[in-house]
């Protein structure tokens, strides 16, 4: 492989606009939020065409397949052509919107929620957006 053909995963994820900065892409790789075949990878891992990566960004989870290399950050329209999104519809952020989230209502006259009530509410909402 020629030197010009090597491309690091952190640079690739930044170039295809998965992360806003390259350092965020590097941090995601170090934290284990970018996986290749279920295995954590280092930011310096070399990208190959046909590789399938699982990327987690907050509640958003993406599965992408590398179609073409992108060495520099480009327009979003061009960046989308460099990978194929294999994410199932059920796992997209749009699917888990506020319209599907549980609606929480307190009884009239129940008063202000306590700290314990607030923690239970937050845990319920967090569990809705987490992976099963």
């Amino acid at each position: 492989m020629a030197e010009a053909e090597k491309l690091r995963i952190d640079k690739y994820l930044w170039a295809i606009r998965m992360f806003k900065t390259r350092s965020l892409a590097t941090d995601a790789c170090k934290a284990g939020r970018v996986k290749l075949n279920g295995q954590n990878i280092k930011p310096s891992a070399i990208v190959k065409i046909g590789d399938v990566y699982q990327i987690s960004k907050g509640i958003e989870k993406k599965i992408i397949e590398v179609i073409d290399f992108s060495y520099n950050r480009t327009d979003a329209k061009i960046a989308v052509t460099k990978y194929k999104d294999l994410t199932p519809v059920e796992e997209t952020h749009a699917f888990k919107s506020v319209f599907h989230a549980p609606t929480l209502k307190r009884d009239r006259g129940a008063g202000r929620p306590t700290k314990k009530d607030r923690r239970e509410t937050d845990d319920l909402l967090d569990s809705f957006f987490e992976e099963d």
Side-chain angles (χ1 to χ4, degrees):
M1 210 185 246
E3 192 64 35
E5 294 178 3
K6 291 185 178 181
L7 180 63
R8 292 170 50 115
I9 185 66
D10 60 343
K11 187 171 183 179
Y12 179 75
L13 292 174
W14 166 76
I16 64 169
R17 296 179 167 267
M18 284 290 152
F19 292 96
K20 191 172 182 176
T21 64
R22 187 167 168 191
S23 62
L24 287 175
T26 303
D27 293 342
C29 291
K30 287 179 182 175
R33 293 189 298 263
V34 179
K35 298 176 185 285
L36 173 65
N37 300 326
Q39 300 291 321
N40 294 345
I41 57 172
K42 293 182 178 181
S44 61
I46 303 299
V47 177
K48 297 180 185 109
I49 292 178
D51 283 350
V52 177
Y53 294 99
Q54 297 88 21
I55 303 162
S56 300
K57 286 175 36 178
I59 63 170
E60 185 179 9
K61 300 198 182 338
K62 286 203 170 271
I63 301 171
I64 63 166
E65 179 182 353
V66 179
I67 294 176
D68 194 12
F69 293 137
S70 182
Y71 295 95
N72 297 317
R73 195 166 170 96
T74 57
D75 299 357
K77 291 179 183 177
I78 296 171
V80 177
T81 63
K82 305 293 182 182
Y83 66 93
K84 183 176 176 183
D85 192 358
L86 304 174
T87 310
V89 177
E90 298 82 29
E91 293 188 18
T92 60
H93 180 64
F95 185 78
K96 290 185 175 180
S97 68
V98 292
F99 299 110
H100 293 98
T103 306
L104 304 172
K105 281 190 155 188
R106 291 185 52 83
D107 294 331
R108 185 177 172 105
R112 188 173 174 179
T114 63
K115 194 176 210 179
K116 181 181 176 187
D117 293 337
R118 185 65 188 166
R119 270 186 257 138
E120 289 172 354
T121 304
D122 289 343
D123 289 343
L124 179 64
L125 289 175
D126 288 343
S127 68
F128 176 76
F129 288 109
E130 286 181 359
E131 187 177 315
D132 292 326

